Amino acid sequence: MIGLANNRKAEINPHNPMIIGVPKEIKNNENRVALTPAGVAEFKKNGHTVYIQTQAGLGSGFSDEEYVKAGASILPTIEEVYAIAEMICKVKEPIASEYNLIKENQLLFTYFHFASSEPLTHAMIERKAICLAYETVEKTDRSLPLLIPMSEVAGRMAIQEGAKYLEKPMGGRGILLGGVAGVKPANVLVLGGGIVGTQAAKMAAGLGANVTIMDISLPRLRYLEDVMPVNVDTVMSNEYNVREAIKVSDLIIGAVLIPGAKAPHLITREMLKEMREGTVLVDVAVDQGGCIETCQPTTHENPTFVIDGVVHYCVANMPGAVPYTSTLALTNATLPYALQLANKGWKKACTDNEELKKGLNVVTGKIVYKGVSDAWGLTLSSIESVL
Ligand SMILES: NC(=O)c1ccc[n+]([C@@H]2O[C@H](COP(=O)([O-])OP(=O)(O)OC[C@H]3O[C@@H](n4cnc5c(N)ncnc54)[C@H](O)[C@@H]3O)[C@@H](O)[C@H]2O)c1
């Protein structure tokens, strides 16, 4: 009740200090945390109060003591965090056991992915919370600043994982990415030259591999040609070029995205026969259906499977394996927005900043983001009606 009362006050007086709560993530295998001790210190500097659920940071390497040193208070249970906080900072969407903890007018700043969960959408409408989704915060150039850090992590990790599964005992061809003196390096093919593809290509090139990036965007290929090292070639993506390249590739990274659509299958099942045995496919685009037809989502516990002698790695939450890096990368991007929300109150912060405004999805029982209303055939309200 205290939190709710303060929240209403925060809306009226935008410069009111805010109570921020950080629960421990309870989704299976989620080790990231929404705020680091450095983030706590920033909130404190701005006059806010931060409550962290005990052990919330442990999976990412941050102890309760570090949070306390930075100025946070530790609460023993998730119920207490939700009960006291005006703004909840999280990583993953709330799961069913958290729904009833959410209060009317409570601000939730986290990944939601509403279009993939109807129960979550209805629950948040019913709870009358203010749901600001990381994934739809959008800059004027249409880039998604709170998704980019995870793509950077996944892109870099794709090469690390690919290199591992190219080892013979792991099912691969037994080829070292960089080769050695007198022995040619491996050939790495990167499908899609966006955030994931660029980071993957850089890592592979750094290890000495022969890298080819394919994309359908000529401006993007021009840019990559300019900035990439000499062991990276850029090639237009089309069926003919893909077919030719896969015959001689040791490691193939799937990094294609068509916003809002399923990824196209650039490698079909019948094309696997044209690859050499022990070739490794890392389909990072698996969360959008994958750009390799035979791709099926896998987990960190059981990351690979083999079809026609070709090793498939299709883990849908790759950044989850490196929570320390992922937490820092994510919070570096979220903290400036979270501070604006706390300093100004969500209404003024969203009015002043179009990027944040685009993050509003479900607000006090109304859907204000078209992608969410379209996904479930529900009524769309204008953002102005809630601001
Ligand atoms: N598995 C994971 O853990 C994980 C983590 C982060 C991101 N992802 C996924 O990785 C994928 C890529 O993300 P991103 O941030 O790099 O996207 P992005 O938008 O930055 O890049 C996608 C690129 O694909 C290109 N493209 C589109 N159609 C193509 C085609 N037919 N052939 C070649 N290129 C084509 C686009 O021109 C663009 O350059 C997304 O599906 C994203 O959701 C997965």
Side-chain angles (χ1 to χ4, degrees):
M1 279 320 281
I2 296 168
L4 186 57
N6 276 349
N7 191 31
R8 293 223 170 98
K9 226 158 75 187
E11 281 178 34
I12 298 159
N13 174 5
H15 300 292
N16 215 23
M18 203 182 258
I19 300 174
I20 290 108
V22 180
K24 183 172 161 56
E25 296 297 321
I26 46 179
K27 201 166 174 181
N28 189 22
N29 260 313
E30 182 53 69
N31 284 299
R32 287 172 293 176
V33 60
L35 202 60
T36 63
V40 170
E42 285 302 312
F43 275 114
K44 291 294 289 181
K45 214 164 74 189
N46 282 267
H48 306 293
T49 309
V50 184
Y51 289 94
I52 309 268
Q53 187 185 342
T54 184
Q55 302 200 340
L58 224 50
S60 296
F62 303 116
S63 66
D64 286 356
E65 290 70 35
E66 287 173 87
Y67 282 111
V68 170
K69 233 160 119 184
S73 303
I74 305 295
L75 287 174
T77 65
I78 192 167
E79 287 79 10
E80 286 160 281
V81 174
Y82 274 96
I84 202 162
E86 298 162 272
M87 168 159 75
I88 292 284
C89 291
K90 267 180 64 59
V91 177
K92 297 303 281 186
E93 73 281 359
I95 62 172
S97 63
E98 287 171 287
Y99 293 169
N100 286 340
L101 305 178
I102 296 166
K103 302 177 298 185
E104 190 174 337
N105 278 324
Q106 196 166 40
L107 174 59
L108 305 178
F109 190 39
T110 186
Y111 287 121
F112 278 101
H113 296 289
F114 279 116
S116 59
S117 174
E118 197 174 3
L120 175 71
T121 308
H122 286 294
M124 292 307 107
I125 292 172
E126 197 184 298
R127 300 310 297 171
K128 295 198 163 63
I130 297 132
C131 303
L132 220 145
Y134 288 168
E135 69 274 10
T136 66
V137 171
E138 188 180 317
K139 287 185 175 282
T140 42
D141 64 2
R142 307 214 59 198
S143 64
L144 304 169
L146 304 186
L147 277 183
I148 287 175
M150 293 305 102
S151 285
E152 289 175 325
V153 171
R156 289 183 172 216
M157 226 184 114
I159 298 303
Q160 196 168 306
E161 294 301 307
K164 183 163 84 193
Y165 288 101
L166 274 174
E167 292 169 11
K168 198 73 184 170
M170 306 301 283
R173 287 195 70 218
I175 184 167
L176 191 61
L177 276 190
V180 287
V183 183
K184 279 187 175 175
N187 293 323
V188 176
L189 172 63
V190 180
L191 299 170
I195 309 290
V196 170
T198 303
Q199 296 305 315
K202 255 169 65 175
M203 287 293 114
L207 286 169
N210 273 330
V211 184
T212 303
I213 309 186
M214 290 193 185
D215 204 293
I216 45 168
S217 158
L218 203 47
R220 187 67 189 169
L221 289 178
R222 264 191 206 112
Y223 166 77
L224 291 169
E225 186 66 31
D226 276 348
V227 299
M228 282 289 159
V230 288
N231 52 337
V232 179
D233 292 320
T234 56
V235 174
M236 180 52 77
S237 174
N238 56 44
E239 190 183 331
Y240 184 89
N241 286 344
V242 172
R243 262 184 201 280
E244 288 303 303
I246 59 170
K247 292 180 197 160
V248 294
S249 296
D250 302 293
L251 170 60
I252 300 172
I253 310 295
V256 162
L257 178 67
I258 300 175
K262 265 188 83 156
H265 288 153
L266 302 191
I267 297 181
T268 59
R269 191 190 161 124
E270 72 54 46
M271 286 161 87
L272 296 189
K273 291 193 220 43
E274 297 175 41
M275 296 180 192
R276 295 179 291 201
E277 184 152 344
T279 297
V280 175
L281 307 179
V282 177
D283 199 346
V284 186
V286 58
D287 57 342
Q288 303 294 326
C291 57
I292 295 159
E293 189 179 8
T294 41
C295 153
Q296 289 291 333
T298 59
T299 60
H300 289 296
E301 285 73 45
N302 208 355
T304 59
F305 57 90
V306 178
I307 301 178
D308 291 350
V310 174
V311 181
H312 293 57
Y313 175 102
C314 313
V315 175
N317 65 330
M318 293 174 69
V322 287
Y324 174 77
T325 305
S326 300
T327 287
L328 287 173
L330 178 63
T331 55
N332 282 344
T334 54
L335 185 64
Y337 292 108
L339 280 170
Q340 288 173 44
L341 291 167
N343 288 344
K344 297 182 173 183
W346 70 271
K347 281 191 182 178
K348 178 145 175 56
C350 291
T351 307
D352 289 355
N353 186 339
E354 283 293 320
E355 298 173 15
L356 263 179
K357 198 199 262 186
K358 292 222 164 75
L360 290 171
N361 277 226
V362 178
V363 179
T364 53
K366 293 179 179 175
I367 297 179
V368 295
Y369 196 84
K370 192 168 178 322
V372 181
S373 60
D374 283 355
W376 309 119
L378 297 167
T379 310
L380 177 69
S381 302
S382 72
I383 288 209
E384 285 63 37
S385 72
V386 296
L387 281 176

